[in-house]
Amino acid sequence: MTEDDAGPRGPFGTRSRGTLGVIATGAAASGPALNGLRAAAREHGYVLVVFGVPGRGRAALPAAVAGLLLQGVSGIVVLDPHLAAELPLVDGVPLVPAASADQSAGARRATEHLLELGHPTVWHLGGPEDGPIARARERGWRETLENHGAEVPPVVRGDWSARSGYRAGQSLAVEPGVGAVFSANDHMALGLLSAFTEAGMRVPRDAHVVGFDDVPEAAYFEPPLTTVRQDFVAAGRQTVAALAARIDGVATPVREAVEAELVVRESSRCLRAG
């Protein structure tokens, strides 16, 4: 459990509004969605206490809530909205799922973009099969191919890390007919690009690659990565504003989806060699 001590404080060191709890699963405990929440919390005069649980940590959720309540939080955000329904009700302490980009819609944009470049199909480097975000992105990819009457290749799985993307890239580089790959996140796409380069495949000359998240480093990959950008600051503001309203006694719904934007860079900008 960690506390964001950089939040605004009063003249005697007291917090100006209070403390918000965040329950984060897996990699989300240190990811950009959490940074967006921190920025929004500061704007509203809150600090955050973060309770991380394992990716399959449903059994740990009641303990996470109890731990946050001991910290005197005024409200709780669940970074994985799919787990929010499984959390116990807490009297007097509002609990909301975090707003996020529409994951399936973002995946559809990425897959449509690659099909529009003339590829007969798009391969998918997916995240962990049991992860709700990975499943949503895979669903958007699969539905897009089916809607276009395109063949749906088998999913190649990673664990969100660049290392797993590299291993997937090694297998895809020897797979006949791989000309377009949609990676479920940018870090796996980085490993994929490295493996393709080692195998003598140049992107975008020999294949096109699109990622997801638009991490700060994506513009500096070699080549710069086309990706789906999530506005984590906007999502954090929506979440904290709704939670702050509920703390003040106003029943405000959280608009869970924010628009995802396709950012086109060199990894898909040029036509492949004939």
Side-chain angles (χ1 to χ4, degrees):
M1 185 185 301
T2 60
E3 182 173 328
D4 182 4
D5 290 322
R9 295 175 179 266
F12 302 104
T14 58
R15 298 184 182 93
S16 55
R17 276 185 65 91
T19 305
L20 301 181
V22 179
I23 297 175
T25 57
S30 59
L34 182 58
N35 293 334
L37 279 173
R38 281 199 172 106
R42 292 189 185 103
E43 292 176 0
H44 282 264
Y46 287 101
V47 291
L48 298 184
V49 172
V50 182
F51 202 115
V53 298
R56 299 180 181 180
R58 285 174 171 80
L61 293 177
V65 172
L68 291 172
L69 293 178
L70 287 174
Q71 298 290 312
V73 299
S74 302
I76 297 175
V77 177
V78 187
L79 268 183
D80 185 344
H82 297 81
L83 296 182
E86 302 183 30
L87 287 167
L89 295 176
V90 182
D91 290 337
V93 177
L95 185 150
V96 300
S100 67
D102 186 327
Q103 307 296 325
S104 292
R108 287 194 292 271
R109 284 190 178 90
T111 308
E112 289 275 5
H113 170 68
L114 290 167
L115 291 173
E116 287 169 358
L117 293 173
H119 297 285
T121 191
V122 177
W123 290 70
H124 183 46
L125 171 50
E129 193 169 10
D130 62 346
I133 291 177
R135 290 199 302 269
R137 294 176 186 179
E138 180 182 335
R139 182 170 61 253
W141 160 79
R142 186 181 302 277
E143 289 175 351
T144 303
L145 293 182
E146 291 173 347
N147 289 340
H148 282 263
E151 178 185 355
V152 181
V155 177
V156 180
R157 297 238 172 252
D159 61 10
W160 300 124
S161 70
R163 181 186 295 274
S164 70
Y166 175 80
R167 290 173 178 166
Q170 288 178 310
S171 65
L172 286 172
V174 297
E175 186 76 33
V178 174
V181 181
F182 164 49
S183 173
N185 81 339
D186 292 346
H187 288 114
M188 291 193 298
L190 173 61
L192 178 84
L193 291 171
S194 178
F196 277 7
T197 299
E198 285 188 7
M201 290 178 64
R202 290 180 57 188
V203 175
R205 185 196 68 186
D206 301 315
H208 290 138
V209 176
V210 175
F212 204 116
D213 288 335
D214 195 26
V215 298
E217 306 84 25
Y220 304 99
F221 286 3
E222 182 53 47
L225 182 67
T226 295
T227 184
V228 178
R229 174 182 293 160
Q230 302 189 75
D231 192 337
F232 292 106
V233 173
R237 284 174 175 156
Q238 287 184 19
T239 304
V240 173
L243 185 54
R246 293 188 186 188
I247 291 170
D248 292 336
V250 181
T252 302
V254 178
R255 198 183 85 189
E256 295 187 18
V258 296
E259 186 174 358
E261 174 191 0
L262 182 70
V263 180
V264 179
R265 298 192 180 103
E266 295 304 316
S267 71
S268 72
R269 185 166 282 157
C270 304
L271 294 177
R272 296 172 58 217

